[in-house]
Short mmCIF file of all heavy atoms in Angstrom, two decimals:
data_model
loop_
_atom_site.label_atom_id
_atom_site.label_comp_id
_atom_site.label_asym_id
_atom_site.label_seq_id
_atom_site.Cartn_x
_atom_site.Cartn_y
_atom_site.Cartn_z
N MET A 1 0.84 -1.19 0.00
CA MET A 1 0.00 0.00 0.00
C MET A 1 0.88 1.26 0.01
O MET A 1 1.83 1.36 0.74
CB MET A 1 -0.87 0.00 1.25
CG MET A 1 -2.12 0.87 1.07
SD MET A 1 -3.35 0.50 2.30
CE MET A 1 -2.82 1.56 3.60
N THR A 2 0.56 2.17 -0.85
CA THR A 2 1.37 3.38 -0.98
C THR A 2 0.63 4.57 -0.34
O THR A 2 -0.53 4.78 -0.63
CB THR A 2 1.63 3.71 -2.46
OG1 THR A 2 2.21 2.58 -3.06
CG2 THR A 2 2.57 4.89 -2.56
N THR A 3 1.33 5.23 0.53
CA THR A 3 0.74 6.40 1.14
C THR A 3 1.31 7.64 0.43
O THR A 3 2.51 7.89 0.48
CB THR A 3 1.07 6.50 2.63
OG1 THR A 3 0.60 5.31 3.25
CG2 THR A 3 0.40 7.71 3.26
N VAL A 4 0.46 8.38 -0.21
CA VAL A 4 0.87 9.62 -0.85
C VAL A 4 0.53 10.78 0.06
O VAL A 4 -0.64 10.99 0.35
CB VAL A 4 0.20 9.81 -2.22
CG1 VAL A 4 0.62 11.12 -2.83
CG2 VAL A 4 0.55 8.68 -3.14
N THR A 5 1.53 11.44 0.51
CA THR A 5 1.29 12.56 1.40
C THR A 5 1.30 13.85 0.59
O THR A 5 2.36 14.26 0.11
CB THR A 5 2.38 12.64 2.50
OG1 THR A 5 2.48 11.37 3.13
CG2 THR A 5 2.05 13.69 3.51
N SER A 6 0.14 14.44 0.46
CA SER A 6 0.09 15.67 -0.30
C SER A 6 -0.43 16.80 0.57
O SER A 6 -1.12 16.56 1.57
CB SER A 6 -0.81 15.52 -1.53
OG SER A 6 -2.13 15.26 -1.14
N MET A 7 -0.09 17.96 0.18
CA MET A 7 -0.51 19.12 0.95
C MET A 7 -0.54 20.33 0.02
O MET A 7 0.01 20.30 -1.06
CB MET A 7 0.46 19.37 2.11
CG MET A 7 1.89 19.67 1.67
SD MET A 7 3.03 19.72 3.05
CE MET A 7 2.32 21.02 4.02
N LYS A 8 -1.13 21.39 0.50
CA LYS A 8 -1.17 22.62 -0.28
C LYS A 8 0.18 23.32 -0.18
O LYS A 8 0.83 23.29 0.86
CB LYS A 8 -2.28 23.51 0.27
CG LYS A 8 -2.55 24.75 -0.59
CD LYS A 8 -3.49 25.67 0.12
CE LYS A 8 -3.30 27.09 -0.37
NZ LYS A 8 -1.98 27.60 -0.09
N CYS A 9 0.54 23.95 -1.26
CA CYS A 9 1.76 24.76 -1.26
C CYS A 9 1.71 25.81 -0.17
O CYS A 9 0.68 26.41 0.07
CB CYS A 9 1.90 25.42 -2.65
SG CYS A 9 3.30 26.54 -2.78
N ALA A 10 2.81 26.02 0.51
CA ALA A 10 2.85 26.94 1.63
C ALA A 10 2.73 28.41 1.19
O ALA A 10 2.51 29.31 2.02
CB ALA A 10 4.13 26.77 2.43
N CYS A 11 2.84 28.67 -0.05
CA CYS A 11 2.66 30.01 -0.60
C CYS A 11 1.19 30.40 -0.47
O CYS A 11 0.30 29.69 -0.94
CB CYS A 11 3.12 30.02 -2.06
SG CYS A 11 2.85 31.55 -2.91
N GLU A 12 0.90 31.51 0.17
CA GLU A 12 -0.47 31.90 0.48
C GLU A 12 -1.45 31.91 -0.72
O GLU A 12 -2.47 31.27 -0.66
CB GLU A 12 -0.52 33.25 1.19
CG GLU A 12 -0.41 33.15 2.71
CD GLU A 12 -1.54 32.34 3.33
OE1 GLU A 12 -2.66 32.37 2.81
OE2 GLU A 12 -1.28 31.65 4.30
N PRO A 13 -1.16 32.65 -1.76
CA PRO A 13 -2.13 32.73 -2.84
C PRO A 13 -2.08 31.50 -3.76
O PRO A 13 -2.86 31.40 -4.70
CB PRO A 13 -1.70 33.96 -3.60
CG PRO A 13 -0.26 34.08 -3.34
CD PRO A 13 0.00 33.51 -1.97
N CYS A 14 -1.17 30.63 -3.49
CA CYS A 14 -0.99 29.48 -4.38
C CYS A 14 -2.03 28.41 -4.13
O CYS A 14 -2.33 28.10 -2.98
CB CYS A 14 0.43 28.91 -4.15
SG CYS A 14 0.89 27.67 -5.33
N LEU A 15 -2.57 27.89 -5.20
CA LEU A 15 -3.64 26.88 -5.06
C LEU A 15 -3.15 25.48 -5.33
O LEU A 15 -3.93 24.52 -5.31
CB LEU A 15 -4.74 27.22 -6.09
CG LEU A 15 -5.35 28.60 -5.97
CD1 LEU A 15 -6.34 28.83 -7.14
CD2 LEU A 15 -6.07 28.79 -4.65
N CYS A 16 -1.89 25.33 -5.56
CA CYS A 16 -1.35 24.04 -5.95
C CYS A 16 -1.30 23.04 -4.81
O CYS A 16 -1.00 23.39 -3.68
CB CYS A 16 0.03 24.22 -6.52
SG CYS A 16 0.09 25.24 -7.97
N ASN A 17 -1.62 21.80 -5.12
CA ASN A 17 -1.41 20.72 -4.19
C ASN A 17 -0.17 19.94 -4.66
O ASN A 17 -0.03 19.66 -5.83
CB ASN A 17 -2.62 19.81 -4.12
CG ASN A 17 -3.70 20.38 -3.24
OD1 ASN A 17 -3.51 20.58 -2.05
ND2 ASN A 17 -4.86 20.70 -3.82
N ILE A 18 0.65 19.66 -3.72
CA ILE A 18 1.91 19.00 -4.05
C ILE A 18 2.10 17.77 -3.16
O ILE A 18 1.55 17.70 -2.07
CB ILE A 18 3.06 19.98 -3.81
CG1 ILE A 18 2.95 20.62 -2.42
CG2 ILE A 18 3.09 21.06 -4.87
CD1 ILE A 18 4.10 21.54 -2.04
N SER A 19 2.89 16.88 -3.64
CA SER A 19 3.27 15.75 -2.79
C SER A 19 4.60 16.05 -2.13
O SER A 19 5.44 16.70 -2.75
CB SER A 19 3.32 14.43 -3.58
OG SER A 19 4.30 14.52 -4.58
N ILE A 20 4.76 15.59 -0.93
CA ILE A 20 5.97 15.90 -0.16
C ILE A 20 7.21 15.54 -0.96
O ILE A 20 8.20 16.26 -0.97
CB ILE A 20 5.95 15.13 1.18
CG1 ILE A 20 4.76 15.53 1.99
CG2 ILE A 20 7.26 15.35 1.94
CD1 ILE A 20 4.85 16.85 2.69
N SER A 21 7.17 14.45 -1.64
CA SER A 21 8.34 13.96 -2.35
C SER A 21 8.75 14.86 -3.52
O SER A 21 9.89 14.90 -3.92
CB SER A 21 8.13 12.53 -2.85
OG SER A 21 6.98 12.45 -3.66
N ASP A 22 7.76 15.57 -4.06
CA ASP A 22 8.05 16.45 -5.19
C ASP A 22 8.26 17.90 -4.77
O ASP A 22 8.64 18.74 -5.58
CB ASP A 22 6.86 16.43 -6.18
CG ASP A 22 6.75 15.08 -6.88
OD1 ASP A 22 7.78 14.39 -6.94
OD2 ASP A 22 5.68 14.80 -7.36
N ALA A 23 7.98 18.21 -3.51
CA ALA A 23 7.96 19.59 -3.10
C ALA A 23 9.34 20.18 -2.94
O ALA A 23 10.34 19.49 -2.74
CB ALA A 23 7.21 19.69 -1.77
N VAL A 24 9.39 21.50 -3.06
CA VAL A 24 10.59 22.23 -2.72
C VAL A 24 10.49 22.61 -1.26
O VAL A 24 9.56 23.33 -0.86
CB VAL A 24 10.70 23.51 -3.58
CG1 VAL A 24 11.94 24.32 -3.19
CG2 VAL A 24 10.75 23.14 -5.07
N GLN A 25 11.41 22.12 -0.47
CA GLN A 25 11.31 22.35 0.95
C GLN A 25 12.24 23.52 1.35
O GLN A 25 13.40 23.61 0.95
CB GLN A 25 11.78 21.10 1.71
CG GLN A 25 11.48 21.18 3.19
CD GLN A 25 11.83 19.89 3.93
OE1 GLN A 25 12.24 18.94 3.33
NE2 GLN A 25 11.70 19.91 5.22
N LYS A 26 11.65 24.43 2.09
CA LYS A 26 12.43 25.57 2.56
C LYS A 26 11.89 26.03 3.92
O LYS A 26 10.70 26.21 4.08
CB LYS A 26 12.34 26.72 1.56
CG LYS A 26 13.27 27.86 1.91
CD LYS A 26 13.20 28.95 0.83
CE LYS A 26 14.16 30.06 1.20
NZ LYS A 26 14.12 31.14 0.20
N ASP A 27 12.76 26.19 4.90
CA ASP A 27 12.39 26.59 6.22
C ASP A 27 11.29 25.73 6.83
O ASP A 27 10.39 26.21 7.53
CB ASP A 27 11.93 28.06 6.22
CG ASP A 27 13.07 29.01 5.81
OD1 ASP A 27 14.23 28.66 6.05
OD2 ASP A 27 12.77 30.09 5.27
N GLY A 28 11.30 24.46 6.53
CA GLY A 28 10.34 23.55 7.11
C GLY A 28 9.00 23.55 6.44
O GLY A 28 8.05 22.94 6.91
N LYS A 29 8.86 24.32 5.37
CA LYS A 29 7.62 24.37 4.65
C LYS A 29 7.81 23.80 3.26
O LYS A 29 8.92 23.74 2.74
CB LYS A 29 7.10 25.82 4.54
CG LYS A 29 6.73 26.38 5.90
CD LYS A 29 6.31 27.86 5.77
CE LYS A 29 5.93 28.40 7.11
NZ LYS A 29 5.56 29.83 7.02
N TYR A 30 6.67 23.42 2.64
CA TYR A 30 6.75 22.80 1.34
C TYR A 30 6.09 23.66 0.29
O TYR A 30 4.99 24.12 0.45
CB TYR A 30 6.09 21.42 1.41
CG TYR A 30 6.81 20.47 2.33
CD1 TYR A 30 6.42 20.36 3.66
CD2 TYR A 30 7.86 19.69 1.86
CE1 TYR A 30 7.10 19.48 4.53
CE2 TYR A 30 8.52 18.81 2.71
CZ TYR A 30 8.14 18.71 4.04
OH TYR A 30 8.78 17.86 4.89
N TYR A 31 6.81 23.84 -0.78
CA TYR A 31 6.32 24.69 -1.85
C TYR A 31 6.29 23.92 -3.17
O TYR A 31 6.99 22.94 -3.35
CB TYR A 31 7.23 25.89 -2.04
CG TYR A 31 7.30 26.78 -0.84
CD1 TYR A 31 8.24 26.56 0.18
CD2 TYR A 31 6.45 27.86 -0.68
CE1 TYR A 31 8.34 27.37 1.30
CE2 TYR A 31 6.51 28.69 0.45
CZ TYR A 31 7.44 28.43 1.41
OH TYR A 31 7.50 29.23 2.51
N CYS A 32 5.43 24.38 -4.09
CA CYS A 32 5.27 23.68 -5.35
C CYS A 32 6.39 24.02 -6.32
O CYS A 32 6.58 23.30 -7.30
CB CYS A 32 3.90 23.99 -5.97
SG CYS A 32 3.71 25.68 -6.50
N SER A 33 7.11 25.07 -6.08
CA SER A 33 8.12 25.48 -7.03
C SER A 33 9.18 26.35 -6.35
O SER A 33 8.96 26.87 -5.28
CB SER A 33 7.49 26.26 -8.18
OG SER A 33 6.99 27.48 -7.67
N ASP A 34 10.29 26.55 -7.03
CA ASP A 34 11.34 27.43 -6.50
C ASP A 34 10.81 28.86 -6.38
O ASP A 34 11.16 29.58 -5.45
CB ASP A 34 12.54 27.44 -7.44
CG ASP A 34 13.32 26.12 -7.30
OD1 ASP A 34 13.40 25.59 -6.20
OD2 ASP A 34 13.89 25.70 -8.31
N ALA A 35 9.98 29.29 -7.32
CA ALA A 35 9.45 30.63 -7.28
C ALA A 35 8.67 30.91 -6.01
O ALA A 35 8.84 31.94 -5.37
CB ALA A 35 8.58 30.89 -8.52
N CYS A 36 7.87 29.95 -5.62
CA CYS A 36 7.10 30.08 -4.37
C CYS A 36 8.04 30.03 -3.16
O CYS A 36 7.86 30.80 -2.22
CB CYS A 36 6.07 28.96 -4.26
SG CYS A 36 4.75 29.09 -5.47
N ALA A 37 8.99 29.13 -3.18
CA ALA A 37 9.91 29.01 -2.06
C ALA A 37 10.71 30.29 -1.83
O ALA A 37 11.05 30.63 -0.71
CB ALA A 37 10.84 27.83 -2.28
N ASN A 38 10.97 30.98 -2.92
CA ASN A 38 11.71 32.23 -2.82
C ASN A 38 10.86 33.45 -2.60
O ASN A 38 11.33 34.59 -2.61
CB ASN A 38 12.56 32.40 -4.11
CG ASN A 38 13.62 31.35 -4.26
OD1 ASN A 38 14.15 30.88 -3.25
ND2 ASN A 38 13.93 30.99 -5.47
N GLY A 39 9.57 33.22 -2.43
CA GLY A 39 8.64 34.33 -2.16
C GLY A 39 8.35 35.19 -3.37
O GLY A 39 7.95 36.33 -3.25
N HIS A 40 8.53 34.64 -4.55
CA HIS A 40 8.24 35.36 -5.78
C HIS A 40 9.01 36.68 -5.89
O HIS A 40 8.47 37.68 -6.34
CB HIS A 40 6.71 35.62 -5.92
CG HIS A 40 5.92 34.37 -5.96
ND1 HIS A 40 5.88 33.53 -7.04
CD2 HIS A 40 5.14 33.80 -5.00
CE1 HIS A 40 5.10 32.51 -6.76
NE2 HIS A 40 4.65 32.62 -5.53
N THR A 41 10.23 36.68 -5.42
CA THR A 41 11.01 37.87 -5.46
C THR A 41 11.30 38.35 -6.86
O THR A 41 11.54 39.53 -7.08
CB THR A 41 12.34 37.67 -4.69
OG1 THR A 41 12.96 36.49 -5.16
CG2 THR A 41 12.07 37.55 -3.21
N ASP A 42 11.30 37.45 -7.79
CA ASP A 42 11.58 37.84 -9.19
C ASP A 42 10.26 37.99 -9.98
O ASP A 42 10.29 38.05 -11.18
CB ASP A 42 12.51 36.86 -9.85
CG ASP A 42 12.02 35.41 -9.79
OD1 ASP A 42 10.91 35.20 -9.22
OD2 ASP A 42 12.73 34.52 -10.26
N ARG A 43 9.14 38.06 -9.23
CA ARG A 43 7.85 38.31 -9.83
C ARG A 43 7.36 37.25 -10.81
O ARG A 43 6.53 37.51 -11.66
CB ARG A 43 7.84 39.69 -10.56
CG ARG A 43 7.98 40.83 -9.57
CD ARG A 43 8.05 42.17 -10.29
NE ARG A 43 7.61 43.24 -9.42
CZ ARG A 43 6.36 43.62 -9.28
NH1 ARG A 43 5.40 43.01 -9.95
NH2 ARG A 43 6.00 44.60 -8.46
N THR A 44 7.86 36.08 -10.67
CA THR A 44 7.35 34.99 -11.49
C THR A 44 6.41 34.13 -10.65
O THR A 44 6.60 33.99 -9.45
CB THR A 44 8.51 34.12 -12.03
OG1 THR A 44 9.29 33.66 -10.95
CG2 THR A 44 9.36 34.92 -12.99
N GLY A 45 5.43 33.56 -11.30
CA GLY A 45 4.54 32.61 -10.61
C GLY A 45 5.14 31.24 -10.67
O GLY A 45 6.24 31.04 -11.19
N CYS A 46 4.40 30.27 -10.15
CA CYS A 46 4.91 28.92 -10.13
C CYS A 46 4.83 28.29 -11.52
O CYS A 46 5.48 27.29 -11.78
CB CYS A 46 4.16 28.09 -9.10
SG CYS A 46 2.44 27.78 -9.50
N GLY A 47 3.99 28.86 -12.36
CA GLY A 47 3.87 28.35 -13.73
C GLY A 47 2.91 27.22 -13.90
O GLY A 47 2.74 26.72 -14.99
N HIS A 48 2.23 26.83 -12.81
CA HIS A 48 1.27 25.77 -12.92
C HIS A 48 -0.06 26.30 -13.46
O HIS A 48 -0.48 27.40 -13.10
CB HIS A 48 1.05 25.08 -11.56
CG HIS A 48 2.30 24.40 -11.05
ND1 HIS A 48 2.82 24.63 -9.78
CD2 HIS A 48 3.12 23.52 -11.66
CE1 HIS A 48 3.91 23.90 -9.64
NE2 HIS A 48 4.13 23.23 -10.76
N HIS A 49 -0.69 25.53 -14.27
CA HIS A 49 -1.92 25.93 -14.93
C HIS A 49 -3.00 26.26 -13.89
O HIS A 49 -3.23 25.48 -12.98
CB HIS A 49 -2.41 24.84 -15.86
CG HIS A 49 -3.57 25.24 -16.68
ND1 HIS A 49 -3.47 26.19 -17.69
CD2 HIS A 49 -4.88 24.88 -16.63
CE1 HIS A 49 -4.67 26.36 -18.24
NE2 HIS A 49 -5.53 25.58 -17.62
N GLY A 50 -3.63 27.40 -14.05
CA GLY A 50 -4.74 27.77 -13.18
C GLY A 50 -4.32 28.41 -11.87
O GLY A 50 -5.13 28.78 -11.06
N CYS A 51 -3.02 28.54 -11.69
CA CYS A 51 -2.53 29.16 -10.46
C CYS A 51 -2.00 30.55 -10.76
O CYS A 51 -1.16 30.72 -11.62
CB CYS A 51 -1.43 28.28 -9.85
SG CYS A 51 -0.79 28.95 -8.31
N GLY A 52 -2.51 31.53 -10.05
CA GLY A 52 -2.12 32.91 -10.31
C GLY A 52 -1.21 33.50 -9.26
O GLY A 52 -1.13 34.70 -9.09
N CYS A 53 -0.51 32.66 -8.54
CA CYS A 53 0.35 33.14 -7.46
C CYS A 53 1.62 33.81 -8.01
O CYS A 53 1.89 33.71 -9.18
CB CYS A 53 0.72 32.04 -6.50
SG CYS A 53 1.94 30.89 -7.13
ZN1 LIG B 101 1.25 27.54 -7.57
ZN1 LIG B 102 3.35 30.78 -5.13
#
């Protein structure tokens, strides 16, 4: 039996659900992308369809 642990990206406006194994981990939180993990400092979104973060 496989347990998939998924959670919402720690980025507030981000709607993405990610699995722990695929997530970008930073400061104990899990993000869907490097852009989210870096706080969108370069003004890019995560690039996932339907997500406007
Ligand atoms: Zn996102
Ligand atoms: Zn984001």
Side-chain angles (χ1 to χ4, degrees):
M1 202 164 86
T2 306
T3 303
V4 178
T5 308
S6 65
M7 62 188 300
K8 188 189 156 298
C9 176
C11 176
E12 270 301 326
C14 189
L15 303 174
C16 298
N17 280 297
I18 49 176
S19 61
I20 300 283
S21 57
D22 291 337
V24 178
Q25 191 177 356
K26 187 177 182 181
D27 297 332
K29 294 177 180 178
Y30 295 92
Y31 298 89
C32 67
S33 66
D34 286 326
C36 292
N38 293 329
H40 300 287
T41 49
D42 54 2
R43 293 177 155 273
T44 55
C46 67
H48 296 128
H49 187 70
C51 181
C53 74

